[in-house]
Amino acid sequence: MIPDDLYSLKMMKQEFTQPKLFNLLAETTFYNIEKDSITIKKNAILDLHQNNIEYVYYICDGIASVSVAGEVFEFKGPSEFVGLSDSMINANCEDFEVKTITKITVWRFIKSEVIAKIMSTQEGYLYHYMSMLDQYSRFTKKLMTMKKTHKERVFIALQELAKKFGTPANNAIKIPPVFTRNIIAQYVGVGLSKLSDSLLKLQEESLIFVTSKREIVLEIESII
């Protein structure tokens, strides 16, 4: 029996969220598992594997980039897990890297204990299923985006960053300055010159505007 037989996909997305999964892992009345609160400095690598132990992180504050084979695949922020299912995208663990782009605070779990606790609950496998489904959905979207023009790819990336991390300001969304031109270029998969050309075209079409501080701003209506 597949999960869709028991729940609609919409209901599953509402009920089996990452914050709810964290609450399940953090509670101590049933199957108490080890966890550590850690603060990690900016531009540091998260150890997903250390001394033959695999770790899962839950971000409380801050942002990290996820790279596959040296290319930025996505960004993780507050209330998201790192290492639960995303590292399965690439079978070669050496090609998978998580790097902080701000100082972050996380809870660290041992992955084997996380899986054991999830699977010991009546509907725990749905948490893992939704995590896997979400990750592969992002992977598929990333592949589809690569077929578009540079300008389209840049605009899609800016929409994603604004929606997930942006700060509202006068009917617009400002992308945090931590997302530098270099980081955005790595995420889109273009050089800095191509990025600059695309940003200029997007400004000319009034899809974005750039402040005197070089902050990128999108109108709320343009964010999907």
PDB file of all heavy atoms in Angstrom, residues 174-189:
ATOM      1  N   LYS A 174      13.002  41.847  -0.558  1.00  0.00           N
ATOM      2  CA  LYS A 174      14.437  42.098  -0.709  1.00  0.00           C
ATOM      3  C   LYS A 174      15.213  40.817  -0.413  1.00  0.00           C
ATOM      4  O   LYS A 174      14.996  40.159   0.603  1.00  0.00           O
ATOM      5  CB  LYS A 174      14.877  43.207   0.239  1.00  0.00           C
ATOM      6  CG  LYS A 174      16.339  43.614   0.129  1.00  0.00           C
ATOM      7  CD  LYS A 174      16.721  44.602   1.222  1.00  0.00           C
ATOM      8  CE  LYS A 174      15.882  45.870   1.130  1.00  0.00           C
ATOM      9  NZ  LYS A 174      16.290  46.859   2.164  1.00  0.00           N
ATOM     10  N   ILE A 175      16.099  40.452  -1.334  1.00  0.00           N
ATOM     11  CA  ILE A 175      16.934  39.272  -1.123  1.00  0.00           C
ATOM     12  C   ILE A 175      18.072  39.632  -0.163  1.00  0.00           C
ATOM     13  O   ILE A 175      18.754  40.638  -0.358  1.00  0.00           O
ATOM     14  CB  ILE A 175      17.505  38.767  -2.461  1.00  0.00           C
ATOM     15  CG1 ILE A 175      16.358  38.260  -3.344  1.00  0.00           C
ATOM     16  CG2 ILE A 175      18.532  37.661  -2.242  1.00  0.00           C
ATOM     17  CD1 ILE A 175      16.771  37.815  -4.714  1.00  0.00           C
ATOM     18  N   PRO A 176      18.277  38.850   0.891  1.00  0.00           N
ATOM     19  CA  PRO A 176      19.320  39.162   1.878  1.00  0.00           C
ATOM     20  C   PRO A 176      20.696  39.317   1.228  1.00  0.00           C
ATOM     21  O   PRO A 176      21.043  38.557   0.306  1.00  0.00           O
ATOM     22  CB  PRO A 176      19.296  37.942   2.810  1.00  0.00           C
ATOM     23  CG  PRO A 176      17.909  37.407   2.686  1.00  0.00           C
ATOM     24  CD  PRO A 176      17.526  37.632   1.246  1.00  0.00           C
ATOM     25  N   PRO A 177      21.477  40.292   1.671  1.00  0.00           N
ATOM     26  CA  PRO A 177      22.797  40.545   1.073  1.00  0.00           C
ATOM     27  C   PRO A 177      23.775  39.388   1.225  1.00  0.00           C
ATOM     28  O   PRO A 177      24.808  39.359   0.541  1.00  0.00           O
ATOM     29  CB  PRO A 177      23.290  41.798   1.811  1.00  0.00           C
ATOM     30  CG  PRO A 177      22.480  41.851   3.070  1.00  0.00           C
ATOM     31  CD  PRO A 177      21.153  41.273   2.724  1.00  0.00           C
ATOM     32  N   VAL A 178      23.476  38.430   2.109  1.00  0.00           N
ATOM     33  CA  VAL A 178      24.350  37.259   2.253  1.00  0.00           C
ATOM     34  C   VAL A 178      24.419  36.472   0.949  1.00  0.00           C
ATOM     35  O   VAL A 178      25.409  35.786   0.666  1.00  0.00           O
ATOM     36  CB  VAL A 178      23.875  36.354   3.413  1.00  0.00           C
ATOM     37  CG1 VAL A 178      22.537  35.706   3.092  1.00  0.00           C
ATOM     38  CG2 VAL A 178      24.917  35.291   3.730  1.00  0.00           C
ATOM     39  N   PHE A 179      23.374  36.608   0.116  1.00  0.00           N
ATOM     40  CA  PHE A 179      23.385  35.973  -1.203  1.00  0.00           C
ATOM     41  C   PHE A 179      24.102  36.911  -2.169  1.00  0.00           C
ATOM     42  O   PHE A 179      23.488  37.697  -2.883  1.00  0.00           O
ATOM     43  CB  PHE A 179      21.962  35.657  -1.663  1.00  0.00           C
ATOM     44  CG  PHE A 179      21.292  34.606  -0.839  1.00  0.00           C
ATOM     45  CD1 PHE A 179      20.340  34.952   0.112  1.00  0.00           C
ATOM     46  CD2 PHE A 179      21.623  33.261  -0.988  1.00  0.00           C
ATOM     47  CE1 PHE A 179      19.719  33.984   0.886  1.00  0.00           C
ATOM     48  CE2 PHE A 179      21.019  32.284  -0.210  1.00  0.00           C
ATOM     49  CZ  PHE A 179      20.062  32.644   0.741  1.00  0.00           C
ATOM     50  N   THR A 180      25.400  36.812  -2.149  1.00  0.00           N
ATOM     51  CA  THR A 180      26.235  37.671  -2.983  1.00  0.00           C
ATOM     52  C   THR A 180      26.104  37.291  -4.456  1.00  0.00           C
ATOM     53  O   THR A 180      25.566  36.235  -4.807  1.00  0.00           O
ATOM     54  CB  THR A 180      27.711  37.544  -2.565  1.00  0.00           C
ATOM     55  OG1 THR A 180      28.140  36.190  -2.796  1.00  0.00           O
ATOM     56  CG2 THR A 180      27.888  37.874  -1.086  1.00  0.00           C
ATOM     57  N   ARG A 181      26.648  38.136  -5.333  1.00  0.00           N
ATOM     58  CA  ARG A 181      26.629  37.830  -6.759  1.00  0.00           C
ATOM     59  C   ARG A 181      27.346  36.506  -7.021  1.00  0.00           C
ATOM     60  O   ARG A 181      26.919  35.713  -7.868  1.00  0.00           O
ATOM     61  CB  ARG A 181      27.305  38.951  -7.558  1.00  0.00           C
ATOM     62  CG  ARG A 181      26.639  40.327  -7.447  1.00  0.00           C
ATOM     63  CD  ARG A 181      25.272  40.332  -8.082  1.00  0.00           C
ATOM     64  NE  ARG A 181      24.762  41.677  -8.285  1.00  0.00           N
ATOM     65  CZ  ARG A 181      24.124  42.398  -7.353  1.00  0.00           C
ATOM     66  NH1 ARG A 181      23.912  41.872  -6.151  1.00  0.00           N
ATOM     67  NH2 ARG A 181      23.675  43.615  -7.621  1.00  0.00           N
ATOM     68  N   ASN A 182      28.428  36.276  -6.313  1.00  0.00           N
ATOM     69  CA  ASN A 182      29.194  35.050  -6.509  1.00  0.00           C
ATOM     70  C   ASN A 182      28.381  33.818  -6.125  1.00  0.00           C
ATOM     71  O   ASN A 182      28.365  32.813  -6.850  1.00  0.00           O
ATOM     72  CB  ASN A 182      30.486  35.101  -5.694  1.00  0.00           C
ATOM     73  CG  ASN A 182      31.423  33.956  -6.023  1.00  0.00           C
ATOM     74  OD1 ASN A 182      31.705  33.693  -7.184  1.00  0.00           O
ATOM     75  ND2 ASN A 182      31.893  33.259  -4.999  1.00  0.00           N
ATOM     76  N   ILE A 183      27.672  33.889  -5.006  1.00  0.00           N
ATOM     77  CA  ILE A 183      26.857  32.762  -4.549  1.00  0.00           C
ATOM     78  C   ILE A 183      25.696  32.517  -5.502  1.00  0.00           C
ATOM     79  O   ILE A 183      25.384  31.374  -5.847  1.00  0.00           O
ATOM     80  CB  ILE A 183      26.343  33.021  -3.114  1.00  0.00           C
ATOM     81  CG1 ILE A 183      27.496  32.919  -2.119  1.00  0.00           C
ATOM     82  CG2 ILE A 183      25.235  32.029  -2.734  1.00  0.00           C
ATOM     83  CD1 ILE A 183      27.104  33.236  -0.681  1.00  0.00           C
ATOM     84  N   ILE A 184      25.056  33.585  -5.955  1.00  0.00           N
ATOM     85  CA  ILE A 184      23.937  33.438  -6.893  1.00  0.00           C
ATOM     86  C   ILE A 184      24.424  32.825  -8.205  1.00  0.00           C
ATOM     87  O   ILE A 184      23.771  31.947  -8.782  1.00  0.00           O
ATOM     88  CB  ILE A 184      23.257  34.797  -7.149  1.00  0.00           C
ATOM     89  CG1 ILE A 184      22.579  35.298  -5.862  1.00  0.00           C
ATOM     90  CG2 ILE A 184      22.217  34.678  -8.264  1.00  0.00           C
ATOM     91  CD1 ILE A 184      22.029  36.713  -5.971  1.00  0.00           C
ATOM     92  N   ALA A 185      25.578  33.278  -8.673  1.00  0.00           N
ATOM     93  CA  ALA A 185      26.137  32.742  -9.917  1.00  0.00           C
ATOM     94  C   ALA A 185      26.420  31.245  -9.786  1.00  0.00           C
ATOM     95  O   ALA A 185      26.128  30.461 -10.704  1.00  0.00           O
ATOM     96  CB  ALA A 185      27.416  33.487 -10.285  1.00  0.00           C
ATOM     97  N   GLN A 186      26.961  30.838  -8.650  1.00  0.00           N
ATOM     98  CA  GLN A 186      27.222  29.417  -8.425  1.00  0.00           C
ATOM     99  C   GLN A 186      25.916  28.624  -8.402  1.00  0.00           C
ATOM    100  O   GLN A 186      25.850  27.507  -8.924  1.00  0.00           O
ATOM    101  CB  GLN A 186      27.952  29.223  -7.096  1.00  0.00           C
ATOM    102  CG  GLN A 186      29.385  29.730  -7.081  1.00  0.00           C
ATOM    103  CD  GLN A 186      30.042  29.489  -5.740  1.00  0.00           C
ATOM    104  OE1 GLN A 186      29.974  28.402  -5.172  1.00  0.00           O
ATOM    105  NE2 GLN A 186      30.681  30.521  -5.213  1.00  0.00           N
ATOM    106  N   TYR A 187      24.892  29.200  -7.795  1.00  0.00           N
ATOM    107  CA  TYR A 187      23.601  28.516  -7.695  1.00  0.00           C
ATOM    108  C   TYR A 187      22.946  28.355  -9.070  1.00  0.00           C
ATOM    109  O   TYR A 187      22.408  27.288  -9.401  1.00  0.00           O
ATOM    110  CB  TYR A 187      22.686  29.303  -6.761  1.00  0.00           C
ATOM    111  CG  TYR A 187      21.322  28.704  -6.559  1.00  0.00           C
ATOM    112  CD1 TYR A 187      21.162  27.344  -6.310  1.00  0.00           C
ATOM    113  CD2 TYR A 187      20.174  29.498  -6.611  1.00  0.00           C
ATOM    114  CE1 TYR A 187      19.905  26.789  -6.118  1.00  0.00           C
ATOM    115  CE2 TYR A 187      18.920  28.951  -6.416  1.00  0.00           C
ATOM    116  CZ  TYR A 187      18.795  27.596  -6.165  1.00  0.00           C
ATOM    117  OH  TYR A 187      17.549  27.045  -5.986  1.00  0.00           O
ATOM    118  N   VAL A 188      23.022  29.404  -9.861  1.00  0.00           N
ATOM    119  CA  VAL A 188      22.409  29.362 -11.193  1.00  0.00           C
ATOM    120  C   VAL A 188      23.244  28.518 -12.156  1.00  0.00           C
ATOM    121  O   VAL A 188      22.713  27.890 -13.065  1.00  0.00           O
ATOM    122  CB  VAL A 188      22.232  30.787 -11.756  1.00  0.00           C
ATOM    123  CG1 VAL A 188      21.665  30.748 -13.166  1.00  0.00           C
ATOM    124  CG2 VAL A 188      21.313  31.599 -10.849  1.00  0.00           C
ATOM    125  N   GLY A 189      24.567  28.502 -11.924  1.00  0.00           N
ATOM    126  CA  GLY A 189      25.453  27.759 -12.812  1.00  0.00           C
ATOM    127  C   GLY A 189      25.926  28.581 -13.985  1.00  0.00           C
ATOM    128  O   GLY A 189      26.066  28.070 -15.106  1.00  0.00           O
TER     129      GLY A 189
END
